[in-house]
């Protein structure tokens, strides 16, 4: 082999604390190294050209680049050596930035360590062999999980791009939180008027199949070829027959159940269509309150339904969908305000969440759009808003900012003044975060034109006195304590990961942070990708986002799917395990340990053997360390290669 | 129930709040929780010592904790939240070796550590349990509307006290409800009564304690049950001052929760000690119980 070594300065990143020229010179002593040099920016165009030129001029058959992390530039350099005519696996990288220059300041020690790392890379490279990826076909259908505004946008963009889309929504209608909002900042336009048409588009699009009231049960397969089992929960209504006429709701005698769509501040019937613009507009029976289920007798809805759609004996159903890519858009949930015991949410009826307030403001809400407080139905005059409840609060394990609460609180003060002109709003805030387009202007308008009184400080406690709520807090600008007699207290509850998000992430094999939000592949450069090929993110499942951001991400995820599907065949990664059939004794230990179920048992000349399913194997290498015979080897990371690396290190 | 726990009455337990002490002892005896007196216990280092010198204050507390250890016991119960704070703070501070070394220097017998301090309220909740409390009731407190007032330090700071919710504690509510009383939701249950400001700034106490009585009355309470000798004093003994300062006319009984428990457990009057309170709860109590009959 004829090996070339390129030691990168990375500007002053590496050169500042590593003598790269000395590293290059030392490399010339390693076996089979015929050429070594240092280079300013190996990843730049001249840097790559230099590598290519050297391969040609010096007849190199393998290349080592000592530079930054392979996570950043391994693909870059692999492509470069490929352009020069080598196999892309005849390349090794030594990380002398993150592992050396960034962590130590001693130039001599750093230089020595860099030499060691290059020596290791050379020994590995000497045992590398060309690997050829195989190709497999792509199923150009996409699944979108979650039908909030982000999921709707992703589904519509994919469908408009000609893809077949399967949309899975856990509630009985799509729309997510946005469907519950009254108006939207910063334009104060009607939420359902802008969302409604999009929801109808979903229903009418010939390319979209909607599974509402459904959840993902399990996911198998890999990019291009996922198999997803979707559990369609029993609705007890045959949706083929239901026309959404609502006759059942009118007659259902069980009317006092907390309405989930109205955030439990209004009642609903046991058979229910959540809201007038619901998509699909179909009825669902809640068996925990329905008299037919609880008491065994009623049957009113079955009697009144003109299309005979009621099915009390319905059961959950599993359907399998084959898709090539998945977009997760499962959104967020609200922080449970009853955990902040000093504010009494959950104990006092007139302490409510911002989302409940949206329902009170909404014309389709439980009060017909009249602001009435839950305790006695009176119109409130003094409304106190408390921001950051369950946000930016370490003591509640919610140190992050929920992003949209500053803005929606400002919106709600404006709407309050519109609804009740002689009302006064007070807002307790920590600081106002409104960096979007027209956002700062909006919060100023709330204060200056609508007279909302902003008080900078935390509220210590909220308690009832007579029919008022006393809100006691600090005004940290005036340096005083304040006490306000409120008729209604609205808590800007922070955003949390949607219920069940970590479980779904595990099914999708994507990472999630300690709060349950899904992790993007790179926070800056790959914001909608995940570390699992073919799985993308949209909206606030990844962290709190407002509507414009969620929609933008929905479209971005769709673009990624369309780009992925622009190829008919995908290449599989050849860095996978292979079984040496002569050595394999068929013990099956690898089958048991593989977390991806990538190994199956086969018969070979009457004997049991293991076989790796190429497209499923993720190259994690667990099987190779399990196999008692050493019969499974991970290509590009064989036992020989790793031992050579260790030996090289021990020599120094 | 034969579990034993060391008993630390605190200085006020033998003086200003004798009735808290006697009712506590009687109630625990009736419920089978055996309180063992700590021989030769001394001041816990509360108010005066801890405002002056943390090491001295911790040493006073540690001396008592070590006495408990000498008794072969692992835990001590105290009725007084202020003693409790100081005993727990000492334990917490002594986790740091340099601090503990300073404390041990002041002690004849260095503190070996590992003695937990709990409130009587916590001991009753955790060692006796609500079910046992409930089944011991002889005269249910039916018809009595009680506001439970915990004071501001019984559950705070939460990391240190590690018992019940620090903003909306329920232990006393649950116990008195088990005794048959109607506990009214009392939103100010952890508000400050003014504490020792009663001496330098009686006006502050009149305002803060006045607010407590005001809200207790507005939620329909017949009486305010307390668990702290100082709170009791501010709300009960100073009710006259409060009334004069605010032009109000409260006559709200402020018994210790253990006294109310003692009534429900049919304990002898001399152990209950209602006569020691300024506003006598007996008329309101007997009226409520009679109406319920
Ligand atoms: C009170 C309030 C007012 C607001 N006002 C505004 C405003 O005026 N302007 C603005 O820009 N933003 C506003 N927001 C923010 C706005 O709600 C979000 O930006 C937006 O809803 C995010 O959309 P999404 O699709 O990411 O998530 P969501 O709306 O949460 O949608 C997620 C969807 O996924 C479904 N789902 C969850 N888990 C699963 C699962 N496992 N399987 C299947 N389906 C699942 C859910 O049922 C839901 O339908 C407000 C938020 C609040 C709380
Ligand atoms: S179930 Fe029947 S009655 Fe109810 S909405 Fe559907 S069609 Fe109408
Ligand atoms: S390398 Fe990992 S994924 Fe591949 S077969 Fe082995 S254990 Fe399974």
């Amino acid at each position: 082999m004829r090996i070339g070594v390129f030691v990168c300065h990375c500007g002053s990143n590496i050169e500042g604390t590593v003598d790269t020229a000395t590293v290059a010179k030392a490399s010339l002593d390693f076996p089979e190294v015929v050429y070594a040099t240092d280079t300013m920016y190996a990843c730049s165009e001249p840097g790559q050209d230099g590598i290519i030129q050297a391969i040609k001029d010096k007849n190199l058959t393998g290349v080592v680049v000592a530079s930054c992390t392979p996570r950043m530039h391994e693909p870059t350099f692999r492509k470069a050596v490929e352009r020069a005519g080598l196999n892309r696996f005849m390349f090794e990288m030594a990380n002398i930035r993150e592992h050396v220059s960034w962590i130590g300041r001693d130039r001599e020690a750093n230089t020595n360590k860099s030499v060691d790392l290059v020596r290791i890379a050379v020994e590995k490279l000497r045992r590398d062999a060309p690997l050829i990826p195989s190709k497999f076909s792509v199923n150009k259908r996409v699944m979108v999980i979650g039908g909030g505004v982000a999921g709707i946008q992703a589904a519509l963009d994919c469908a408009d791009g000609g893809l077949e889309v399967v949309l899975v929504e856990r509630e009985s209608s799509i729309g997510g939180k946005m469907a519950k909002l009254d108006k939207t900042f910063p334009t104060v336009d009607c939420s359902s008027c802008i969302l409604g048409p999009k929801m109808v588009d979903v229903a009418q699009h010939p390319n979209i199949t909607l599974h509402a009231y459904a959840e993902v049960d399990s996911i198998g397969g890999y990019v291009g070829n996922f198999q997803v089992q979707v559990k369609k929960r029993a609705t007890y209504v045959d949706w083929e027959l239901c026309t959404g006429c609502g006759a059942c709701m009118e007659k259902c005698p069980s009317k006092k159940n907390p309405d989930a769509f109205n955030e439990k501040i209004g009642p609903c019937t046991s058979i229910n269509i959540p809201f007038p613009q619901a998509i699909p507009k179909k009825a669902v029976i809640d068996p925990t309150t329905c008299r037919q289920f609880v008491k065994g007798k009623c049957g009113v809805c079955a009697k009144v339904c003109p299309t005979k759609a009621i099915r009390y004996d319905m059961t959950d159903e599993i359907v399998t969908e084959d898709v090539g890519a998945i977009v997760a858009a499962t959104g967020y949930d609200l922080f449970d305000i009853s955990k902040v015991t000093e504010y009494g949410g959950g104990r006092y009826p007139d302490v409510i969440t911002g989302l409940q307030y949206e329902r009170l403001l909404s014309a389709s809400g439980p009060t017909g759009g009249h602001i009435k407080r839950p305790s006695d139905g009176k119109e409130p005059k003094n409304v106190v808003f408390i921001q950051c409840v369950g946000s930016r609060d370490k003591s509640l394990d919610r140190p992050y900012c929920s992003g949209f609460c500053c803005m929606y609180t400002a919106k709600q003060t404006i709407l309050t003044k519109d609804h009740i002109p002689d009302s006064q709003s007070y807002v307790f805030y920590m600081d106002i975060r409104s960096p979007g387009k027209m956002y700062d202007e909006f919060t100023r308008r709330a204060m200056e034109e609508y007279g909302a009184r902003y008080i900078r400080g935390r509220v210590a406690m909220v308690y009832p006195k007579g029919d008022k709520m006393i809100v006691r807090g600090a005004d940290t600008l005036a340096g005083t304590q304040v006490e306000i007699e409120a008729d209604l207290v609205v808590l800007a509850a922070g955003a949390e990961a949607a219920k069940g998000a970590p479980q779904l992430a595990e099914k999708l094999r994507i990472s999630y942070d300690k709060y349950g939000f899904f992790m993007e592949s790179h926070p800056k450069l790959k914001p909608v990708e995940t570390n699992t090929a073919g799985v993308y993110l949209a909206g606030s499942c990844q962290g709190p986002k407002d509507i414009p951001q969620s929609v933008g991400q929905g479209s971005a995820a769709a673009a990624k799917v369309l780009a992925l599907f622009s190829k008919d065949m995908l290449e599989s990664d050849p860095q996978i395990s292979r079984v040496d059939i002569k050595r394999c004794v068929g013990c099956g230990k690898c089958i048991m340990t593989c977390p991806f179920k990538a190994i199956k048992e086969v018969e070979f000349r009457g004997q049991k053997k293991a076989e790796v399913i190429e497209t499923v194997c993720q190259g994690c290498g667990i099987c190779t360390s399990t196999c008692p015979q050493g019969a499974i080897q991970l290509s590009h990371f064989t036992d020989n290669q790793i031992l050579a690396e260790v030996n090289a290190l021990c020599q120094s | 129930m034969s579990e034993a726990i060391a008993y630390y009455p605190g200085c006020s337990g033998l003086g200003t709040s004798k009735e808290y002490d006697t009712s506590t002892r009687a109630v625990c005896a009736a419920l089978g929780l055996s309180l063992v007196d700590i021989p030769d216990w001394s001041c816990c280092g509360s108010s005066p010592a801890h405002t002056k010198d943390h090491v001295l204050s911790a040493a006073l507390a540690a001396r008592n904790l070590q006495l408990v250890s000498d008794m072969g016991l692992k835990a001590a119960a105290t009725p007084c939240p202020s003693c409790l704070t100081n005993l727990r703070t000492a334990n917490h501070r002594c986790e740091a070796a340099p601090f503990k070394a300073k404390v041990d220097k002041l002690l004849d017998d260095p503190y070996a550590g590992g003695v937990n301090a709990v409130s009587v309220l916590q001991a009753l909740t955790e060692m006796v349990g609500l079910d046992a409390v409930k089944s011991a009731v002889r005269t249910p407190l039916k018809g009595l509307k009680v506001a439970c007032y915990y004071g501001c330090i019984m559950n705070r700071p939460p990391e240190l006290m590690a018992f019940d919710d620090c903003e909306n504690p329920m232990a006393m509510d649950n116990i008195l409800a088990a005794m048959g009383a109607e506990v009214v939701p009392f939103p100010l249950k952890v508000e400050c009564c003014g504490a020792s400001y009663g001496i330098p700034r009686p006006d502050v106490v009149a305002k803060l304690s006045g607010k407590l009585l005001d809200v207790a009355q507005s939620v329909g309470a017949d009486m305010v049950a307390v668990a702290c000798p100082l709170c009791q004093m501010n709300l009960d003994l100073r009710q006259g001052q409060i009334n004069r300062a605010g032009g109000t006319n409260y006559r709200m009984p402020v018994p210790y929760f253990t006294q109310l428990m003692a009534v429900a457990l049919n304990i002898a009057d001399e152990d209950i000690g209602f006569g020691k309170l300024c506003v006598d709860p007996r008329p309101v109590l007997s009226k409520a119980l009679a109406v319920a009959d």
Side-chain angles (χ1 to χ4, degrees):
Chain A
M1 194 177 256
R2 295 177 61 80
I3 294 175
V5 174
F6 301 83
V7 188
C8 183
H9 296 189
C10 197
S12 61
N13 267 312
I14 293 171
E15 182 57 31
T17 56
V18 176
D19 182 350
T20 51
T22 303
V23 177
K25 198 151 154 269
S27 310
L28 284 168
D29 293 341
F30 301 150
E32 301 184 79
V33 174
V34 296
Y35 177 73
T37 183
D38 56 304
T39 161
M40 187 70 177
Y41 287 108
C43 59
S44 68
E45 199 178 4
Q48 294 187 44
D49 286 347
I51 296 173
I52 293 171
Q53 203 54 47
I55 294 174
K56 291 187 176 148
D57 293 350
K58 315 277 174 197
N59 249 335
L60 302 180
T61 55
V63 167
V64 170
V65 174
S67 61
C68 53
T69 159
R71 291 190 76 160
M72 190 79 179
H73 279 317
E74 193 173 60
T76 314
F77 295 125
R78 279 184 174 171
K79 270 189 226 142
V81 300
E82 204 163 47
R83 266 185 280 144
L86 297 185
N87 180 277
R88 70 168 85 143
F89 290 94
M90 300 310 287
F91 163 78
E92 287 298 330
M93 216 164 160
N95 185 349
I96 60 167
R97 193 178 73 181
E98 281 82 344
H99 289 179
V100 181
S101 70
W102 274 357
I103 53 170
R105 302 207 143 270
D106 179 337
R107 194 171 171 87
E108 196 187 328
N110 279 359
T111 306
N112 291 339
K113 185 174 176 188
S114 301
V115 172
D116 285 344
L117 294 184
V118 173
R119 183 200 325 244
I120 291 171
V122 168
E123 288 302 328
K124 165 99 195 301
L125 178 63
R126 291 176 69 205
R127 289 155 184 85
D128 280 349
L131 297 176
I132 315 282
S134 48
K135 301 212 165 196
F136 59 90
S137 64
V138 186
N139 179 349
K140 295 186 182 178
R141 297 176 88 224
V142 54
M143 173 171 287
V144 177
I145 308 174
V149 68
I152 289 175
Q153 186 68 35
L156 286 174
D157 285 352
C158 287
D160 287 345
L163 304 179
E164 255 187 69
V165 180
V166 183
L167 178 57
V168 178
E169 167 57 51
R170 127 167 116 186
E171 302 299 330
S172 72
S173 167
I174 57 171
K177 307 292 179 304
M178 189 177 167
K180 301 186 180 195
L181 306 181
D182 178 35
K183 306 268 173 9
T184 56
F185 62 75
T187 44
V188 204
D189 51 346
C190 156
S191 182
S192 56
C193 313
I194 54 174
L195 183 66
K198 278 187 180 289
M199 292 167 60
V200 175
D201 287 350
V202 168
Q204 291 179 347
H205 207 296
N207 288 358
I208 300 181
T209 309
L210 172 60
H211 294 307
Y213 216 56
E215 261 171 272
V216 167
D217 207 43
S218 68
I219 302 172
Y222 49 93
V223 57
N225 296 280
F226 292 106
Q227 293 86 41
V228 188
Q229 308 256 7
V230 178
K231 182 162 94 186
K232 301 184 76 174
R233 286 153 62 203
T235 57
Y236 306 104
V237 177
D238 184 339
W239 280 10
E240 300 281 328
L241 296 175
C242 174
T243 59
C245 69
C248 51
M249 285 166 70
E250 233 165 77
K251 291 283 166 359
C252 174
S254 162
K255 292 191 190 308
K256 292 257 178 292
N257 314 302
D259 185 350
F261 185 77
N262 280 326
E263 293 288 307
K264 302 189 178 153
I265 44 165
C268 74
T269 43
S270 288
I271 187 165
N272 191 35
I273 300 171
F275 56 109
Q277 304 92 328
I279 296 285
K281 195 174 179 189
K282 306 285 178 188
V284 175
I285 294 180
D286 172 7
T288 63
T289 60
C290 165
R291 295 187 186 190
Q292 186 67 33
F293 284 90
V294 177
K295 297 195 181 133
K297 60 175 187 216
C298 178
V300 170
C301 52
K303 267 179 229 132
V304 299
C305 175
T307 63
K308 300 273 166 281
I310 309 296
R311 297 278 179 276
Y312 296 122
D313 57 354
M314 198 185 243
T315 49
D316 294 352
E317 186 195 339
I318 303 266
V319 292
T320 304
E321 296 285 2
D322 295 321
V323 295
I326 299 175
V327 176
T330 48
Y332 66 99
D333 272 330
L334 287 190
F335 178 80
D336 174 7
I337 57 166
S338 70
K339 287 188 192 154
V340 191
T341 28
E342 58 267 42
Y343 297 166
R347 263 186 295 147
Y348 310 132
D350 294 333
V351 178
I352 62 173
T353 67
L355 203 51
Q356 288 177 321
Y357 198 55
E358 293 280 340
R359 296 313 299 146
L360 288 182
L361 292 166
S362 168
S364 65
T367 52
H370 301 289
I371 306 176
K372 293 178 181 171
R373 53 184 208 165
S375 63
D376 54 10
K378 277 194 199 142
E379 189 180 75
K381 296 291 176 217
N382 279 352
V383 183
V384 171
F385 295 86
I386 305 177
Q387 291 192 188
C388 298
V389 179
S391 302
R392 304 173 65 193
D393 192 338
K394 258 197 199 157
S395 70
L396 298 168
D397 196 28
R398 292 290 175 271
Y400 56 85
C401 173
S402 294
F404 42 64
C405 324
C406 283
M407 289 298 293
Y408 78 61
T409 301
K411 171 185 75 177
Q412 291 176 343
T413 66
I414 290 176
L415 294 174
T416 305
K417 196 80 180 173
D418 278 343
H419 281 250
I420 313 170
D422 62 340
S423 66
Q424 176 62 53
S425 294
Y426 300 85
V427 180
F428 283 91
Y429 71 102
M430 295 220 267
D431 46 49
I432 306 286
R433 304 191 160 183
S434 52
K437 187 170 171 179
M438 298 295 287
Y439 279 20
D440 201 55
E441 296 91 317
F442 184 78
T443 50
R444 292 199 162 274
R445 205 161 92 219
M447 297 176 219
E448 288 159 13
E449 284 172 42
Y450 288 81
R453 287 201 199 141
Y454 272 67
I455 303 162
R456 179 174 168 279
R458 294 292 270 176
V459 168
M461 85 180 299
V462 176
Y463 66 94
K465 193 168 168 225
D467 70 344
K468 302 276 183 200
M469 301 301 300
I470 308 295
V471 180
R472 178 138 51 81
D475 182 336
T476 50
L477 293 180
T480 56
Q481 292 197 19
V482 278
E483 236 177 47
I484 296 170
E485 278 194 4
D487 300 301
L488 184 65
V489 179
V490 181
L491 306 183
E496 293 197 325
K499 259 164 229 84
Q503 289 81 346
L504 181 62
E506 280 174 18
K507 289 177 192 164
L508 288 164
R509 286 184 249 116
I510 61 176
S511 326
Y512 52 96
D513 66 19
K514 65 186 274 213
Y515 308 107
F517 288 113
F518 298 158
M519 299 248 279
E520 62 286 334
S521 193
H522 189 285
K524 283 150 246 168
L525 301 178
K526 291 185 172 177
V528 298
E529 289 98 322
T530 67
N531 282 334
T532 298
V535 178
Y536 305 95
L537 306 176
S540 27
C541 61
Q542 184 243 12
K545 289 195 175 56
D546 61 15
I547 295 166
Q549 291 173 329
S550 303
V551 171
Q553 268 208 335
S555 291
K560 290 286 167 188
V561 174
L562 285 161
L564 177 76
F565 287 178
S566 66
K567 303 187 195 78
D568 295 323
M569 303 291 274
L570 291 179
E571 280 188 351
S572 67
D573 187 345
Q575 296 180 84
I576 53 165
S577 290
R578 292 180 206 280
V579 181
D580 179 349
I581 214 146
K582 294 190 295 300
R583 281 193 173 191
C584 175
V585 294
C587 68
K589 291 208 164 81
C590 53
I591 301 178
M592 283 189 288
T593 51
C594 176
F596 302 101
K597 300 197 173 50
I599 310 178
K600 63 180 180 194
E601 191 183 287
V602 289
E603 281 260 321
F604 182 77
R605 297 193 180 147
Q607 283 181 312
K608 277 195 217 156
K609 300 281 174 185
E611 188 177 290
V612 176
I613 310 166
E614 270 184 43
T615 42
V616 182
C617 174
Q618 302 288 311
C620 68
I622 292 175
C623 54
T624 63
S625 47
T626 309
C627 177
Q629 295 295 100
I632 292 199
Q633 291 288 320
L634 183 59
S635 304
H636 209 55
F637 296 95
T638 61
D639 290 353
N640 281 345
Q641 290 176 315
I642 290 167
L643 286 172
E645 291 184 312
V646 177
N647 281 337
L649 184 62
C650 295
Q651 270 167 26
S652 61
Chain B
M1 167 79 57
S2 58
E3 240 174 307
I5 187 163
Y7 179 62
Y8 183 83
C11 310
S12 49
L14 298 195
T16 52
S17 65
K18 188 102 189 82
E19 65 281 22
Y20 192 11
D21 176 66
T22 55
S23 56
T24 296
R25 289 173 188 274
V27 162
C28 290
L31 293 171
L33 177 64
S34 115
L35 301 178
V36 193
D37 275 283
I38 304 170
D40 193 33
W41 63 271
S42 54
C43 169
C44 67
S46 188
S47 319
H50 83 80
T51 45
K52 191 83 186 88
D53 180 348
H54 287 169
V55 175
L56 172 62
S57 163
L60 286 163
R63 177 180 179 276
N64 291 298
L65 293 169
Q66 182 52 33
L67 289 175
V68 174
S69 191
D70 292 343
M71 294 161 76
L73 292 174
K74 286 266 158 248
T78 176
C80 170
S82 189
C83 299
L84 180 65
T85 307
N86 223 50
L87 294 170
R88 292 196 87 119
T89 304
N91 253 336
H92 173 69
R93 290 212 166 111
C94 283
E95 278 166 22
F99 185 89
K100 183 160 184 301
K102 288 191 211 160
V103 168
D104 284 343
K105 230 177 181 168
L106 296 181
L107 296 175
D108 296 333
D109 185 10
Y111 174 39
V115 175
N116 191 23
V118 298
S119 62
V120 166
L121 185 59
Q122 182 173 0
L124 286 172
T125 307
E126 288 174 357
M127 296 174 73
V128 179
L130 277 188
D131 291 338
V133 166
K134 203 168 190 164
S135 55
V137 172
R138 299 286 167 268
T139 310
L141 304 177
K142 272 225 181 66
L144 184 71
K145 292 190 179 153
V146 190
C148 294
Y149 175 58
Y150 296 72
C152 52
I153 58 168
M154 176 75 112
N155 302 286
R156 287 159 160 174
E159 311 80 48
L160 185 66
M161 301 314 248
F163 173 61
D164 214 347
D165 189 299
C166 71
E167 298 291 347
N168 184 34
M170 287 302 290
M172 197 198 303
D173 293 61
N174 293 338
I175 284 187
L176 290 183
M179 296 277 142
E182 184 188 328
V183 289
V184 295
F186 182 49
L188 301 190
K189 50 170 77 162
V190 294
E191 280 298 282
C192 178
C193 64
S196 23
Y197 263 55
I199 296 157
R201 291 286 301 273
D203 58 317
V204 169
V205 172
K207 191 170 151 213
L208 296 178
S209 287
K211 189 162 173 182
L212 291 172
L213 294 172
D214 178 28
V215 171
Q217 193 170 58
S218 77
V219 295
D222 296 329
M223 44 182 75
V224 178
V226 294
C228 166
L230 192 52
C231 303
Q232 201 282 333
M233 186 158 26
N234 281 343
L235 291 174
D236 183 32
L237 176 74
R238 294 186 191 281
Q239 221 167 91
Q241 291 174 9
I242 292 169
N243 283 337
R244 274 194 298 285
T248 47
N249 197 17
Y250 300 118
R251 280 205 55 80
M252 174 76 77
V254 188
Y256 292 100
F257 78 101
T258 47
Q259 291 182 294
L260 293 178
M261 289 181 79
V263 171
L265 299 174
N266 280 1
I267 281 164
D269 285 350
E270 65 264 28
D271 284 337
I272 301 179
F274 276 147
K276 290 214 158 27
L277 304 180
C278 296
V279 182
D280 190 343
R282 280 168 293 198
V284 180
L285 190 59
S286 46
K287 202 165 128 206
L289 297 186
V291 173
D293 267 343

